[in-house]
Amino acid sequence: MTTAPDTAREAALLRIARQRQAAKRGSVAPAAAGGAEGAEGTTGPAPLSAAQRRMWLMDRLGGSGAAYHVPFAARVRGPFDPQALGRALTALVRRHAVLRTRYGQRDGEPYQEALDAVPVPVEVVTADGDVAELLREAAARPFDLASGPVLRALAVRHAAEDHTVLLTLHHIAIDGGSLAIVARELGALYGAALDGDEALAGELPGTLATPAPQYADYARREHAAVDALENGLEFWLGRLAGARPVPLPAGSGAPARRGQAALLAEPLPPAVLEGLRAVGREHRSTLFTVVLAAAYAALLEQTGRTDLVLGCAGSHRDRAEIRNLVGLCVNTLPVRVDARSTGTFGALLDRVRDALLEAQQHRDVPFDLIVERLGAAARGAGGQPLVDVTADVLRAPTTLDLPGLASEPVEVDLGTAKFGLGFYVEQDRSDGRPPRCLVQYDRARLDERTAGRLLRGFADLLAAVAADPGHPLARPQPDTGAPDRTEPAHPAAQLLRDRPEVAEAFLLEIDGRPPLAYVVPSRTGSLDPMGLRAALRSRLVPGLVPAAVTVLDVLPRTADGAVDRGRLPGAPAAAASADIVGVREQAVLDAFTEQLGRRPALDDDFFLLGGHSLLAVQLADRLRERLGLPLTGLDVMEHRSPRAIAALLDGRGEERAAALAAVQSAARPAGTSPRSTRPATTRTGTVLVTGATGGVGAFVLRELAARGHPVRALVRPESAHLLAADGIELCEGDLGDPDSLRTAAAGADAVIHAACTFTSPEVDLAAMRAALDGWRRGTFVFVSSVDAYGQPPVTEVTEETAPAGPFTAYGRGKLDCERMLLEAAGSGGRGAADVVRVPIVWGPHARLRDQLRWGATGQFYQAARNGEPIELPAQERGWYGAPWVHGAALARALVSCVERPTGGVVNAVGGHVDWRDFAAELIRLLGSSSEIHATHAGPGADTAAEPGAGEAAGPDFLLHHRRRYRPARALADELAERPGRTGGRCSPRCWRADGLTG
């Protein structure tokens, strides 16, 4: 029996502990020289580069979804070897530390820390036909930047020699230039992996023969040189003084979630593209500069504004020292152009060329630093960012060429938009078809009709300019001798005026409070005030939505024709009474004061007070900690004033109270009175739950609430809003932050440790050690796995069965955590420890559904969904299947262990499912045409190898699983099926109710 980690594992854990102790002491500067982190030899935590910091902020703000995921896919035909790809990926992440880096936080400031290289698994699923949705789902699965990894791999098997390979990376670790490096090196490493491990460890060709530059060194150099950027920063502050966002034409389409993209395209004849290149040569400009100028011209025609700021990407990769660096080396360049007195496109092109060259001379200044210094001036009156429109020339995508395989790129459309509007021209296409001009837009900012009008104007302009660079500009503004400073109308007023049923609209703004809207109907239809406000709510951020819409026959006016504000219904009197400040409003005001350095009024604007993205994250952190209510940085940026933020928190508090009442009512037997509520200040018996926003954690929270236990939840800040019950004490942190675990456990009376990375055992082990350091009293319940048994030589497994190798990396990690816990139990005032070994968990939760679709059973689900044959072991070989437990039954068992600890190892198994029943039910639920072929020969006995370089137990390992696990007698009541409830059902027939196939 193997229960202790080997020497190499202990050394790795010790190295991680030393690095995190250095971080705890407050230093993110390089540690001692030496090590394998790159040519400069620095190790340990490092600051983030400016570009990484922006990615980290977007992740912490919440709401970015998959906008910063980078899918890289190729269709490969020929004898593809997934295990060789896994070994090649493992060698790649060992070479480039940024691909195995996590991003922690200390005192509100982020840092990056490279983890030890571990095998990179390549998940293989079988599918046929169109796999676009499968690839999109895989690429959109969220990353956890705090613990990693930031790279994952999937291989979709269409046929024996036909696969689609998908690598998904987070943008914080890669850019377009890096992708080409990754593709080149991965191809060479895959070729070496085909020749065996010796070839992979031997002398490699080209740049692989020399150590790779490391991104952490690049970030340190950038951080050290920040003081030298002051002159460049002064340039940008002067250049952008008085600039306003492009006033995008308001549409009236269906409501959409912010960041949801749509793309429109028109073909671009090759002759037009050649003509644009010729225009560029004539004006000493690149094709990109010509396209950028065309975007300005299209916006000039649509908006009439001559003072416009567009953004474009600037790269630092022309420097020799970072030419082969994998990482994020881009910056946003704001290009401001004054189009006055430019009657022709050629004249505008010259202006754009000069403005772009000037911007590139100051490209080292991080755009986020510019935005921070600009403060409120970096946003429009409606909160829209200064740079929300971009343009670019798109080249053929990078191709993943693997030796011995025919490869072609595959586009994976995630449907996300980073900008409100983008103008693009395809220079060439991988499929050989003619180039196109495109407009991508955020559906929350524009509707399809408006975007289509912009595309047609852009396409017509490109065609006209290619034939005649002297093409006159539409609607050029006269030279007035001063830049255009016209402030756009309030967004709500503009949206109302654009509606055909509205003749006139007026917005009354009252000291920054939500405005009041007044409309006069046209002759084309009647007006519904509630419908109008609902339409505005779907198009605008909450702070811009009028408090009410009032329909008038006419707008009251003064003698000079201006709207008479005093005669508008509902207009406030001149002297307003003093504000009565509520409890949460006071808390928000205090947090604003501490974070921003001055006391605001209730209706002061966050941005006008000097707020920016990082301050929004920090302000949300502070308020979450004090009020115990979910709040993200994006909430702060959208609601902006203390009054609006407090109102949001009030609403969330009411939602939680209602959710808790519903849970307690459902759990209370009929005819009994409600349990007395413990005072908020008394938290005796508090149970810490880790993994509270995961599938198991959600059931545990409900069970604890039903039994009246006070709860403390360890939760990442951006996930705090997912908790749905009042009375939960939120404790910020994650597995990658040992200090947060230690602090959370220190004040708890019991611990249920359900969090797990699944893919990084070294992080799980370090997290367990930190939790044990903080644990001082009460029971500690650890959610382990039946994988910790390994491969014992029996088919009936009980708690007394000794674990036996070989183990998967996941199972070994769980076993090591168990050992650490059981050794600590009963010492230093600690209570008992229970290890609950858990099989596959199901239940109505998104995380659990994803595990069934993509995890160990994914091969069955994907085959059934695509109508593929499902190969199973021959029936005469006996029973094959898997143990299961429902999330609700597991939660009852875990809470029972807190209340009545067993003091050892227990199995929480609700039942077993035969693979034949499993497959048949999947086919029925999915309406699949799959057939079950029970003829698979497979191995004569269970086999599994300790995963090596890129290797993992293959599908046959799960398929030929024949062990049954006896549930613990002590948990029999909790694991039993409850009549009328889903918890405890151990048949796949409950999937319909649990939403697996929904």
Side-chain angles (χ1 to χ4, degrees):
M1 178 177 70
T2 303
T3 59
D6 57 25
T7 304
R9 179 177 290 276
E10 290 285 8
L13 286 173
L14 182 61
R15 184 161 58 255
I16 292 172
R18 287 172 175 166
Q19 291 173 354
R20 292 177 178 169
Q21 277 299 111
K24 182 180 177 183
R25 291 193 295 268
S27 171
V28 295
E37 290 303 316
E40 297 187 21
T42 52
T43 60
L48 271 61
S49 71
Q52 283 182 315
R53 188 183 181 88
R54 178 167 182 76
M55 294 298 104
W56 179 83
L57 275 172
M58 297 306 296
D59 182 71
R60 288 296 308 277
L61 283 170
S64 61
Y68 297 98
H69 294 192
V70 181
F72 181 34
R75 187 78 172 256
V76 294
R77 292 178 172 86
F80 169 65
D81 186 342
Q83 292 185 340
L85 179 63
R87 291 193 295 272
L89 284 167
T90 301
L92 185 74
V93 301
R94 184 179 294 116
R95 175 173 168 79
H96 298 285
V98 72
L99 299 179
R100 49 183 167 87
T101 290
R102 76 175 194 92
Y103 300 86
Q105 181 185 2
R106 183 173 53 257
D107 299 328
E109 286 293 324
Y111 64 90
Q112 58 181 306
E113 179 182 35
L115 302 172
D116 285 349
V118 296
V120 177
V122 177
E123 184 177 4
V124 181
V125 299
T126 301
D128 196 10
D130 186 3
V131 297
E133 182 61 20
L134 186 153
L135 295 175
R136 189 202 65 77
E137 287 180 5
R141 287 159 59 195
F143 286 99
D144 184 350
L145 297 184
S147 60
V150 292
L151 178 154
R152 56 177 177 255
L154 171 72
V156 180
R157 184 181 186 274
H158 307 284
E161 295 195 353
D162 186 4
H163 294 76
T164 295
V165 175
L166 170 66
L167 306 181
T168 307
L169 303 99
H170 196 283
H171 201 8
I172 200 169
I174 202 162
D175 59 12
S178 299
L179 205 57
I181 299 168
V182 165
R184 182 181 68 242
E185 294 192 354
L186 185 58
L189 291 168
Y190 176 80
L194 291 175
D195 295 331
D197 291 341
E198 290 185 3
L200 196 58
E203 186 174 344
L204 296 168
T207 57
L208 292 172
T210 58
Q214 298 300 322
Y215 191 84
D217 294 329
Y218 168 84
R220 291 186 179 100
R221 290 195 301 269
E222 183 187 87
H223 192 73
V226 69
D227 292 340
L229 300 176
E230 196 60 36
N231 289 338
L233 185 58
E234 289 301 319
F235 160 79
W236 282 114
L237 296 180
R239 187 75 184 87
L240 297 175
R244 308 306 299 156
V246 175
L248 296 180
S252 57
R257 177 175 50 85
R258 178 174 295 185
Q260 186 176 353
L263 185 72
L264 301 178
E266 285 198 6
L268 195 66
V272 171
L273 201 58
E274 268 314 307
L276 295 175
R277 290 193 181 98
V279 170
R281 289 191 294 269
E282 183 179 337
H283 287 263
R284 297 178 292 112
S285 300
T286 63
L287 176 62
F288 166 74
T289 309
V290 176
V291 171
L292 182 62
Y296 277 100
L299 289 169
L300 172 64
E301 178 179 350
Q302 291 293 329
T303 68
R305 288 277 295 274
T306 58
D307 183 10
L308 296 167
V309 180
L310 271 68
C312 63
S315 174
H316 306 300
R317 290 194 175 274
D318 56 345
R319 299 171 186 170
E321 67 272 16
I322 62 173
R323 207 160 284 162
N324 291 311
L325 177 66
V326 171
L328 186 59
C329 300
V330 295
N331 188 25
T332 298
L333 294 181
V335 182
R336 186 180 188 181
V337 173
D338 179 5
R340 289 174 295 130
S341 304
T342 53
T344 66
F345 180 82
L348 176 63
L349 175 57
D350 291 340
R351 293 265 181 101
V352 172
R353 179 199 62 216
D354 294 344
L356 179 60
L357 289 172
E358 186 181 42
Q360 289 172 337
Q361 290 171 1
H362 299 87
R363 62 182 173 171
D364 288 336
V365 182
F367 179 64
D368 285 88
L369 183 58
I370 300 169
V371 170
E372 183 177 329
R373 288 289 188 92
L374 285 172
R379 291 183 176 269
Q384 64 271 34
L386 177 61
V387 175
D388 201 27
V389 181
T390 188
D392 204 354
V393 174
L394 306 179
R395 293 169 177 80
T398 302
T399 302
L400 178 61
D401 289 320
L402 300 178
L405 302 171
S407 178
E408 60 180 284
V410 173
E411 181 180 356
V412 180
D413 183 11
L414 293 175
T416 58
K418 301 180 183 69
F419 292 88
L421 176 64
F423 295 92
Y424 303 99
V425 166
E426 290 177 322
Q427 186 171 1
D428 44 38
R429 301 177 64 183
S430 58
D431 56 12
R433 288 186 286 180
R436 300 177 297 174
C437 61
L438 311 100
V439 162
Q440 185 189 60
Y441 61 98
D442 186 334
R443 293 182 57 208
R445 300 294 309 278
L446 296 173
D447 60 21
E448 185 174 2
R449 185 181 55 140
T450 306
R453 188 169 67 245
L454 286 166
L455 174 63
R456 286 188 296 274
F458 183 51
D460 292 345
L461 183 67
L462 290 173
V465 166
D468 176 17
H471 177 74
L473 295 176
R475 298 176 58 186
Q477 300 298 300
D479 188 352
T480 63
D484 182 4
R485 297 285 189 244
T486 303
E487 188 67 27
H490 190 287
Q494 189 61 50
L495 288 172
L496 288 170
R497 290 168 188 158
D498 285 345
R499 300 183 72 91
E501 66 270 32
V502 174
E504 290 183 276
F506 181 78
L507 263 287
L508 179 63
E509 299 186 66
I510 312 163
D511 297 330
R513 299 180 188 180
L516 299 175
Y518 302 87
V519 293
V520 175
S522 67
R523 296 182 179 180
T524 61
S526 60
L527 293 178
D528 172 18
M530 294 183 64
L532 289 175
R533 190 168 182 272
L536 294 174
R537 199 163 52 241
S538 71
R539 301 284 294 164
L540 299 173
V541 296
L544 298 179
V545 177
V549 178
T550 303
V551 179
L552 301 175
D553 292 332
V554 293
L555 289 172
R557 298 188 181 274
T558 61
D560 61 1
V563 174
D564 189 342
R565 297 167 180 257
R567 293 166 55 200
L568 289 168
S577 59
D579 283 317
I580 300 175
V581 179
V583 174
R584 288 197 178 104
E585 287 177 331
Q586 186 62 55
V588 175
L589 287 171
D590 290 344
F592 264 69
T593 303
E594 295 161 7
Q595 201 68 47
L596 300 173
R598 54 175 167 158
R599 185 78 175 179
L602 272 172
D603 296 302
D604 278 352
D605 186 283
F606 172 74
F607 294 112
L608 292 177
L609 292 169
H612 50 76
S613 299
L614 180 57
L615 284 176
V617 169
Q618 293 170 342
L619 182 63
D621 290 349
R622 191 181 295 265
L623 286 169
R624 273 196 313 274
E625 180 180 347
R626 290 186 180 175
L627 301 178
L629 288 170
L631 189 73
T632 67
L634 189 61
D635 290 330
V636 172
M637 295 175 69
E638 288 185 342
H639 291 78
R640 300 167 64 174
S641 73
R643 189 191 304 276
I645 294 170
L648 176 70
L649 290 168
D650 284 340
R652 289 180 175 171
E654 292 170 3
E655 290 173 3
R656 280 192 168 184
L660 178 63
V663 169
Q664 291 178 333
S665 175
R668 192 166 55 244
T672 61
S673 60
R675 182 177 293 151
S676 61
T677 303
R678 189 187 307 274
T681 55
T682 304
R683 304 285 295 183
T684 303
T686 294
V687 180
L688 169 67
V689 179
T690 68
T693 57
V696 172
F699 286 100
V700 171
L701 292 182
R702 286 201 287 269
E703 187 65 23
L704 287 169
R707 299 195 191 191
H709 288 282
V711 176
R712 170 182 294 175
L714 184 74
V715 59
R716 293 179 62 203
E718 58 272 28
S719 302
H721 63 285
L722 299 176
L723 300 184
D726 200 9
I728 295 177
E729 177 189 353
L730 300 182
C731 190
E732 290 186 13
D734 55 51
L735 294 184
D737 183 358
D739 284 343
S740 68
L741 272 164
R742 196 174 292 112
T743 301
D749 295 302
V751 178
I752 297 179
H753 185 28
C756 178
T757 67
F758 292 100
T759 57
S760 301
E762 70 283 354
V763 175
D764 295 327
L765 287 165
M768 174 60 86
R769 174 56 61 197
L772 295 178
D773 288 344
W775 176 38
R776 285 293 173 266
R777 60 182 180 272
T779 305
F780 194 119
V781 179
F782 175 50
V783 181
S784 186
S785 169
V786 294
D787 284 23
Y789 285 109
Q791 306 297 310
V794 295
T795 57
E796 192 76 16
V797 181
T798 69
E799 288 97 335
E800 291 76 30
T801 301
F807 297 88
T808 63
Y810 172 70
R812 170 65 67 82
K814 287 290 189 183
L815 193 60
D816 290 345
C817 285
E818 291 179 7
R819 174 188 57 80
M820 294 163 61
L821 172 61
L822 295 174
E823 288 177 356
S827 64
R830 300 181 179 95
D834 274 19
V835 170
V836 182
R837 289 180 177 163
V838 176
I840 298 173
V841 184
W842 71 37
H845 191 278
R847 295 282 182 87
L848 299 180
R849 288 194 291 268
D850 283 345
Q851 288 173 22
L852 285 173
R853 291 169 174 169
W854 294 101
T857 58
Q859 57 178 315
F860 299 110
Y861 180 86
Q862 300 301 332
R865 191 179 74 165
N866 292 285
E868 292 281 334
I870 298 178
E871 301 287 344
L872 296 177
Q875 295 189 17
E876 59 268 19
R877 296 176 59 83
W879 181 88
Y880 292 94
W884 295 84
V885 68
H886 193 281
L890 174 59
R892 292 196 297 268
L894 294 172
V895 178
S896 175
C897 288
V898 169
E899 297 173 342
R900 300 180 300 278
T902 66
V905 176
V906 291
N907 292 339
V909 178
H912 294 77
V913 173
D914 185 284
W915 286 141
R916 299 177 186 87
D917 294 340
F918 183 101
E921 193 66 13
L922 268 178
I923 291 171
R924 186 185 70 81
L925 290 174
L926 295 172
S928 173
S929 60
S930 294
E931 296 180 355
I932 298 174
H933 295 172
T935 57
H936 196 291
D942 292 336
T943 59
E946 188 80 8
E951 294 176 344
D956 280 356
F957 167 64
L958 177 68
L959 189 66
H960 289 85
H961 188 287
R962 59 191 310 165
R963 294 184 183 85
R964 292 177 182 267
Y965 298 83
R966 184 181 301 168
R969 293 191 188 93
L971 302 179
D973 289 343
E974 284 74 17
L975 295 172
E977 182 174 353
R978 302 287 175 94
R981 298 176 64 181
T982 59
R985 285 185 293 176
C986 291
S987 164
R989 294 184 183 277
C990 73
W991 292 342
R992 179 73 74 184
D994 287 349
L996 172 64
T997 59

